[in-house]
């Protein structure tokens, strides 16, 4: 069996719907069993020490397991954060558990675990940017990890993998690249700390309905063929590789199902793309791939 | 009196704390607390009503499909088109919901519940040649069995042979639930958070290639349900048959009904559905559903009462949860697969009798014994088969190439209601539209019913009642508590919400 290197992972669920975890369960290849049980790459094993939806134990015992991992593996564990962090009332709107009858807020857990992690992955739009939990009126004063870290001067390396939920390949690919090449270089990430490998191009650049857009063939209603721009498609401002990667093992994706892209990986989702089914102003359209005049 | 606090309760959706007081080995008091507040309904205010299904499905990543369908039914009703949805749209919504329920129930039994009954460490001594079990043994040999240790120790009763079988099925079930999610995606675009369900119907026109691809995935799932899932549930029931008496609960069940078989009746409480609307008590009394009986109470929840809206108020004197207490006619009701199966059972549905009666006679049990931990697991498994068996016909009823959507005009002012069943129970959405915007949106969600705290008159919620009176064999390994709680399939992200009815 040779020497297997263990990579401890602590997976915190904050203000989340658990959709990010469910999406990762849907990973096609490697499967979730390959990810958690097998050597995900030869000689390398992801050692999931804490994940509320999966782990067998409960209560104080698992909280202690989490704290022990933090102490024993200080500086060498990966912290995965799913969900935004409520900051209102000292974080008391969201608790991950308790120790000695004292509740542990998500806010304090992200701070203390974040400081000592080797790297932090903010998984999903809520963890990355606040997402749905931080949408207007933001009742829990929720923030994403980046914003929180900046306010607390935490400098642990951070990678954002937004998406509502994120595609499992985006996480698996990012983790694999980390295992093989170490932390991403600054030039591998975009201005929102998203890996360019997955979020480098607009949906609109690679959409199969792009020819319809260029020819002005717009669907006037659902169920109709044509580009979905007039039905509110946010593909022209949304960065992700869904048109090539497809979802759920390739059976479908949003626009192939006749649904406009809602820009679920974007900073400011859902407010900046609302109303979701309202046509964007022409001025908002980026200048990409316009037809060039050939002499 | 000893206090047992379990926080977090793991292998559920969301942040739940359970506290029980034990005297002479018996639970005297129990408290269920939801530990996260997000306030999605506040977030919906002022938005375009058409965004409701996209935003509300993000209440829960485990059951987004039920929220999207509840929201779509709600908007259909507010837009005055409840009776105009094309059959294709109605049927595709059923298929999306059905595939999601199959995925959810498999996940719940194997990945959320089974570890309470299954000694997974037994895999360490496996010496056979099965590739999956061998890889698990290698995993165990590499060190601690994280995330499967720590755990409660003691009451694992399955034989070595059954244990190894069910462990292999735990892994196979990961694949099967993923395949069921692919079925959702075939008509819903992606999963979690399907994009296909919208007011007026579904975004996609069904095509023959999609239908046949769905049928064969379904067939694979049906094989798994018949030959693995159902037998495993019964094997666990065999070894833990005392759990027919444990976790009885509040003795009243409520179902909104689910899977529309007809699209012409606008009143959802009267619409013909595969699973019928109604309430059933432990003495098998059935009553028709009357949604005007629903109320919500907040004396023990962290909300200020009195105003039109329920504002969060953390630290309120006496309160202990972000979950409110919904009640029906002032009484406590449990929701979920057991409620759905019993509602059809007492109405004489021959298909449910055919599935349930042999199980009851095998365990020499009566219908009232189904009000229990095992009853809930059995109802869930039976329901999975019932739904999967029904879906084939629906697929053949689809008209390829024909419309699944009807257009509408958003009214200036209107109200709506959408009732459906999520995997874990009755789900209702209500909307009030003013000036073409959402003025108010409310969700009353399954786990709000099941995990509710005490109501204004002090009646404990269903899970609390199921815990009170339970004998705990070993207070440092309180299996009984987690088995009872998990039998309800709690979903706390759903349960917490805040607009007053
Ligand atoms: S607007 Fe949307 S549907 Fe149209 S080409 Fe761009 S991404 Fe595709
Ligand atoms: S197509 Fe758009 S809405 Fe759909 S998953 Fe990709 S980024 Fe999100």
């Amino acid at each position: 069996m040779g020497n297997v290197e263990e990579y401890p992972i602590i997976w915190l669920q904050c203000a989340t719907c658990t959709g990010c975890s469910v999406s990762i369960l849907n990973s096609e290849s490697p499967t979730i069993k390959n990810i958690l049980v097998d050597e995900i790459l030869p000689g390398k094993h992801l050692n999931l020490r804490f994940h509320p939806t999966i782990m067998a134990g409960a209560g104080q015992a698992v909280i202690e397991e989490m704290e022990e991992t933090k102490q024993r593996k200080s500086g060498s564990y990966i912290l995965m954060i799913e969900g935004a962090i409520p900051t209102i009332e000292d974080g008391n709107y969201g608790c991950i558990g308790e120790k000695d009858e004292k509740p542990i807020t998500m806010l304090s857990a992200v701070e203390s675990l974040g400081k000592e992690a080797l790297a932090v992955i903010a998984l999903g739009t809520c963890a990355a940017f606040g997402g749905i939990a931080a949408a207007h009126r933001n009742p829990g004063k929720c923030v994403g990890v980046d914003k929180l870290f900046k306010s607390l001067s935490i400098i642990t390396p951070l990678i954002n993998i937004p998406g509502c939920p994120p595609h499992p390949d985006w996480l698996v690919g990012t983790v694999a690249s980390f295992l093989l090449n170490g932390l991403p270089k600054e030039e591998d990430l975009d201005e929102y700390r998203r890996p360019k490998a997955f979020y480098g191009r607009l949906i609109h650049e690679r959409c199969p309905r792009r020819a319809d857009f260029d020819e002005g063939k717009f669907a006037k209603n659902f169920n109709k063929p044509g580009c979905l721009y007039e039905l509110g498609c946010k593909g022209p401002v949304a960065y992700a590789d869904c048109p090539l990667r497809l979802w759920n093992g390739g059976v479908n994706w949003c626009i192939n199902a006749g649904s406009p892209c809602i820009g679920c990986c974007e900073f400011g989702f859902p407010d900046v793309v609302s109303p979701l089914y309202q046509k964007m102003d022409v001025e908002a359209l980026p200048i990409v791939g316009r037809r060039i005049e050939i002499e | 009196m000893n206090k047992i606090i379990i926080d977090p309760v793991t292998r559920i959706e969301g942040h739940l704390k359970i506290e029980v007081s034990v005297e002479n080995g018996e639970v005297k008091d129990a408290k269920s607390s939801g530990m996260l507040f997000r306030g999605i309904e506040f977030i919906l205010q002022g938005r375009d009503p058409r965004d409701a299904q996209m935003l509300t499905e993000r209440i829960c990543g485990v059951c987004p499909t039920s929220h999207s369908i509840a929201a779509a039914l709600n908007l259909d009703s507010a837009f005055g088109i409840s009776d105009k949805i094309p059959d294709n749209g109605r049927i595709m919504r059923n298929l999306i919901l059905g595939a999601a329920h199959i995925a959810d129930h498999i996940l719940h039994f194997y990945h959320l519940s089974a570890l309470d009954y299954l000694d997974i460490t037994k895999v360490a001594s496996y010496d056979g040649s099965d590739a999956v079990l061998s890889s698990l043994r290698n995993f165990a040999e590499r060190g601690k069995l994280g995330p499967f240790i720590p755990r409660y120790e003691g009451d694992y009763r399955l034989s070595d042979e059954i244990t190894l079988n069910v462990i292999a099925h735990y892994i196979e079930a990961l694949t099967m639930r993923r395949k069921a999610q692919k079925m959702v995606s075939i008509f819903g675009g992606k999963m979690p958070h399907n994009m296909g369900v919208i007011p007026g119907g579904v975004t996609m026109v069904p095509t023959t290639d999609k239908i046949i691809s769905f049928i064969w995935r379904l067939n694979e799932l049906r094989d798994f349900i018949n030959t693995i899932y159902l037998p495993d549930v019964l094997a666990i029931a065999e070894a833990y048959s005392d759990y027919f008496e444990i976790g009885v609960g509040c003795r009243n069940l409520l179902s909104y009904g689910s899977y529309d078989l007809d699209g012409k009746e606008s009143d959802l409480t009267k619409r013909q559905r595969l699973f019928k609307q109604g309430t059933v008590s432990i003495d098998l009394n059935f009553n028709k559903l009357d949604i005007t009986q629903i109320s919500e109470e907040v004396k023990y929840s962290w909300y200020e009462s009195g105003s039109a809206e329920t504002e969060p108020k953390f630290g309120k004197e006496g309160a202990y949860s972000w979950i409110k207490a919904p009640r029906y006619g002032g009484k406590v009701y449990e929701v979920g697969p057991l409620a759905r199966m019993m509602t059809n059972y007492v109405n004489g549905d021959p298909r449910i009798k055919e599935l349930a009666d042999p199980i009851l006679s095998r365990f020499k049990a009566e219908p009232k014994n189904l009000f229990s931990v095992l009853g809930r697991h059995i109802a869930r498994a039976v329901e999975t088969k019932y739904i999967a068996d029904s879906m084939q016909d629906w697929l053949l009823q689809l008209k390829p190439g024909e419309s699944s959507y009807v257009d509408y005009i958003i009214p200036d002012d209107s109200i709506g209601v959408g009732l459906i069943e999520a995997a874990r129970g009755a789900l209702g959405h209500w909307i009030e539209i003013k000036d073409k915007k959402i003025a108010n949106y409310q969700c009353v969600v399954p786990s709000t019913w099941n995990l509710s705290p005490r109501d204004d008159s002090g009646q404990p919620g269903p899970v609390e009642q199921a815990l009170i009176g339970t004998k705990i064999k070993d207070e440092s390994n309180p299996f009984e508590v987690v088995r009872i709680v998990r039998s309800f399939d709690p979903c706390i992200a759903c349960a917490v919400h805040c607009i007053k009815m």
Side-chain angles (χ1 to χ4, degrees):
Chain A
M1 246 189 330
N3 249 354
V4 177
E5 214 173 328
E6 298 285 341
Y7 290 82
I9 294 182
I10 298 176
W11 188 306
L12 277 187
Q13 290 181 327
C14 296
T16 173
C17 70
T18 310
C20 300
S21 284
V22 174
S23 187
I24 304 313
L25 284 182
N26 287 347
S27 182
E28 191 89 3
S29 184
T31 64
I32 189 69
K33 183 252 178 189
N34 301 142
I35 294 170
L36 296 181
V37 171
D38 301 330
E39 294 167 32
I40 184 166
L41 284 163
K44 294 175 197 291
H45 176 238
L46 299 175
N47 189 341
L48 187 65
R49 302 308 310 163
F50 185 90
H51 189 305
T53 330
I54 294 177
M55 60 195 166
Q60 184 141 328
V62 297
I63 295 290
E64 282 165 3
E65 178 68 27
M66 181 187 87
E67 292 185 340
E68 238 182 80
T69 306
K70 177 186 136 192
Q71 275 149 23
R72 255 195 350 260
K73 305 284 177 188
S74 179
S76 66
Y77 62 88
I78 299 168
L79 178 64
M80 211 74 85
I81 299 175
E82 172 179 356
I85 301 110
T87 62
I88 194 171
E89 298 261 11
D90 299 323
N92 271 305
Y93 276 33
C95 295
I96 60 155
E98 64 186 52
K99 193 172 173 202
D100 303 328
E101 298 195 28
K102 280 195 205 70
I104 301 168
T105 63
M106 293 160 184
L107 183 63
S108 65
V110 169
E111 179 178 0
S112 76
L113 291 161
K115 273 186 196 154
E116 292 182 34
L118 167 66
V120 176
I121 294 180
L123 183 65
T125 302
C126 295
F129 311 130
I132 192 99
H136 174 66
R137 190 176 151 180
N138 192 349
K141 297 221 179 338
C142 284
V143 296
V145 178
D146 193 23
K147 191 164 171 191
L148 182 71
F149 276 15
K150 281 187 179 128
S151 73
L152 297 169
S153 309
I154 294 175
I155 51 164
T156 310
L158 170 70
I159 308 169
N160 284 329
I161 316 236
C164 192
H167 195 294
D169 290 3
W170 300 337
L171 176 69
V172 171
T174 301
V175 169
S177 152
F178 163 76
L179 295 177
L180 292 170
N181 311 315
L183 285 168
K185 300 185 192 61
E186 280 305 309
E187 64 264 30
D188 298 334
L189 303 177
D190 73 1
E191 59 184 308
Y192 295 110
R193 308 201 64 74
R194 302 179 287 197
K196 286 182 192 161
F198 306 113
Y199 304 88
R201 309 271 294 268
L202 292 164
I203 300 284
H204 187 62
E205 284 179 78
R206 303 191 278 194
C207 178
R209 303 195 185 197
R210 180 59 192 272
D212 291 331
F213 176 89
D214 289 346
E215 291 170 22
K217 290 182 188 154
F218 298 113
K220 300 292 175 206
N221 219 328
F222 295 102
N223 271 201
K224 298 284 184 256
C227 162
L228 301 171
Y229 167 63
E230 293 192 350
L231 298 178
C233 185
K234 304 301 184 297
V237 294
Y239 288 88
D241 63 7
C242 310
L244 300 187
R245 189 168 301 282
L246 312 180
W247 273 79
N248 301 95
V251 296
N252 215 343
W253 73 291
C254 311
I255 287 173
N256 270 4
S259 167
C261 166
I262 60 171
C264 75
C265 304
E266 290 313 299
F267 184 88
F269 170 86
D271 291 350
V272 298
V273 286
S274 295
L276 302 173
Y277 298 99
Q278 189 163 298
K279 179 174 140 186
M280 279 187 301
D281 290 343
V282 176
E283 295 82 67
L285 292 178
I287 306 177
V288 284
R290 291 273 164 85
R291 183 188 290 251
I292 51 161
E293 297 299 328
I294 300 172
E295 296 199 358
Chain B
M1 197 102 87
N2 296 332
K3 202 154 64 173
I4 301 175
I5 297 175
I6 306 176
D7 181 16
V9 177
T10 49
R11 283 185 281 118
I12 60 160
E13 194 296 328
H15 300 86
L16 174 70
K17 164 180 171 176
I18 293 287
E19 181 179 326
V20 295
S21 310
V22 183
E23 198 175 54
N24 302 325
E26 188 179 313
V27 175
K28 292 292 174 204
D29 193 17
K31 279 183 182 167
S32 153
S33 307
M35 299 305 286
L36 167 68
F37 171 82
R38 287 190 301 165
I40 301 280
E41 290 146 310
F42 285 134
I43 289 168
L44 281 157
Q45 289 175 342
R47 290 182 194 259
D48 188 320
R50 293 171 300 171
D51 292 358
Q53 78 286 351
M54 283 296 143
L55 299 180
T56 55
E57 73 175 335
R58 286 163 167 86
I59 288 174
C60 179
V62 181
C63 52
T65 45
S66 12
H67 279 287
S68 67
I69 291 171
L73 291 170
N74 188 14
L75 295 171
D76 292 347
S77 112
F79 299 165
I81 50 167
S82 293
D83 55 347
K84 300 192 177 57
I85 309 302
D87 281 343
N88 271 353
R90 170 181 62 80
I91 294 167
M92 285 162 85
R93 285 178 181 176
N94 284 348
L95 292 165
I96 286 171
L97 188 66
H101 279 198
I102 294 172
D104 271 12
H105 285 352
I106 293 173
L107 178 87
H108 177 262
F109 179 69
Y110 286 99
H111 311 114
L112 305 184
S113 304
L115 295 179
D116 292 338
Y117 304 90
L118 183 69
D119 181 2
I120 200 161
T121 62
K122 281 195 173 161
V123 81
S125 53
Y126 178 70
D127 58 2
S129 57
D130 179 80
V132 168
L133 289 172
S134 305
S135 71
L136 282 165
R137 184 204 49 226
N138 294 347
F139 163 68
E141 277 174 5
R142 277 202 300 270
K144 290 169 85 179
L145 258 166
F148 300 117
I149 298 282
R151 58 167 191 175
Y152 292 157
E153 298 295 344
D155 188 26
Y156 297 107
R157 308 182 200 164
L158 301 175
S159 70
D160 288 5
E161 193 194 337
I162 295 178
T163 300
L164 289 172
N165 274 338
V166 182
I167 292 174
H169 298 159
Y170 176 103
I171 301 292
E172 191 177 347
L174 285 168
T175 307
M176 298 317 294
R177 62 148 294 287
R178 168 164 58 81
K179 291 189 177 183
Q181 293 237 323
K182 286 160 92 102
M183 284 157 52
V184 180
S185 184
I186 288 175
F187 292 131
K190 83 180 196 340
M191 188 64 188
H193 300 333
N194 88 83
M195 305 288 284
V197 176
I198 49 168
V202 171
T203 56
M204 210 174 94
V205 177
T207 52
T208 316
D209 59 322
K210 298 274 183 191
I211 294 170
I212 187 99
S213 141
F214 196 112
I215 286 179
W216 281 97
R217 291 169 202 274
L218 177 63
N219 286 342
E220 202 182 339
L221 261 314
R222 289 171 74 188
D223 282 346
F224 177 82
I225 295 162
N226 291 333
T227 62
I228 296 181
Y229 175 25
L230 259 168
D232 280 352
V233 172
L234 299 181
I236 285 184
E238 201 79 68
Y240 292 87
S241 58
D242 45 333
Y243 279 82
F244 276 118
E245 313 283 337
I246 295 175
V248 176
C250 61
R251 298 172 162 79
N252 284 312
L253 305 171
L254 168 80
S255 168
Y256 291 163
S258 211
Y259 300 106
D260 289 333
L261 302 178
D262 137 71
K264 299 290 163 257
E265 170 60 65
S266 294
D267 181 346
L268 298 179
T269 65
K270 302 210 172 76
R271 190 173 271 192
Q272 200 201 336
R273 291 183 150 175
L274 182 70
F275 299 142
K276 314 252 168 293
Q277 305 87 331
T279 65
V280 182
S281 62
I282 197 162
D283 44 22
L284 306 189
N285 262 334
F286 171 79
N287 274 300
K288 287 208 166 96
L289 177 66
D290 170 11
I291 53 170
T292 63
Q293 297 292 312
I294 302 169
S295 63
E296 280 199 311
E297 303 175 6
V298 296
K299 186 169 168 194
Y300 293 92
S301 317
W302 287 310
Y303 302 97
E304 196 128 48
S305 27
S307 57
E309 284 174 1
T310 321
E311 288 289 332
K313 189 171 189 238
F314 180 73
K316 185 176 103 178
E317 186 69 31
Y320 59 90
S321 181
W322 285 115
I323 302 174
K324 300 201 283 185
R327 296 295 183 254
Y328 183 85
K331 292 207 291 203
V332 185
Y333 278 77
E334 172 182 340
V335 299
L338 180 63
R340 296 192 283 268
M341 294 303 96
M342 291 307 291
T343 306
N344 274 31
Y345 189 86
V346 298
N347 277 290
D349 176 354
R351 287 174 64 196
I352 188 75
K353 281 191 152 333
E354 207 176 288
L355 288 167
D357 285 340
I359 299 177
L360 288 172
S361 57
R362 170 170 166 183
F363 292 101
K364 300 189 180 49
E366 303 197 23
K368 72 169 173 16
N369 296 115
L370 295 171
F371 290 66
S372 64
V373 168
L374 283 179
R376 291 184 194 98
H377 285 295
I378 289 170
R380 203 170 274 116
V382 161
E383 176 182 77
T384 312
K385 177 170 168 54
Y386 196 139
I387 295 170
D389 289 350
S390 308
M391 285 166 80
Q392 176 115 357
D393 285 347
W394 299 341
L395 282 153
L396 297 174
Q397 286 162 14
L398 285 172
K399 300 212 170 59
E402 289 185 22
S403 167
S404 62
Y405 169 80
V406 65
D407 207 10
Y408 51 81
I409 293 164
I410 302 176
D412 291 336
D413 301 301
S414 187
I415 53 168
V417 53
L419 305 172
I420 198 77
E421 288 279 319
R424 35 200 70 69
L427 171 62
H429 282 202
W430 282 262
I431 193 172
E432 188 186 348
I433 298 173
K434 280 197 182 128
D435 299 330
K436 296 190 190 298
K437 294 263 181 334
I438 299 175
N440 249 316
Y441 202 98
Q442 181 178 26
C443 315
V444 180
V445 173
S447 295
T448 318
W449 290 93
N450 287 343
L451 279 297
S452 73
R454 279 151 179 73
D455 56 34
D456 291 5
S457 60
Q459 303 177 88
V463 166
E464 294 178 336
Q465 291 194 28
L467 289 165
I468 293 169
T470 303
K471 299 249 184 326
I472 309 289
K473 280 191 208 126
D474 171 4
E475 287 176 32
S476 38
N477 294 288
F479 277 105
E480 296 85 353
V481 175
V482 291
R483 285 173 185 160
I484 290 170
V485 173
R486 291 192 181 111
S487 74
F488 286 86
D489 193 5
C491 179
I492 308 306
C494 281
V496 176
H497 60 89
C498 56
I499 307 286
K500 197 170 177 180
M501 298 270 300

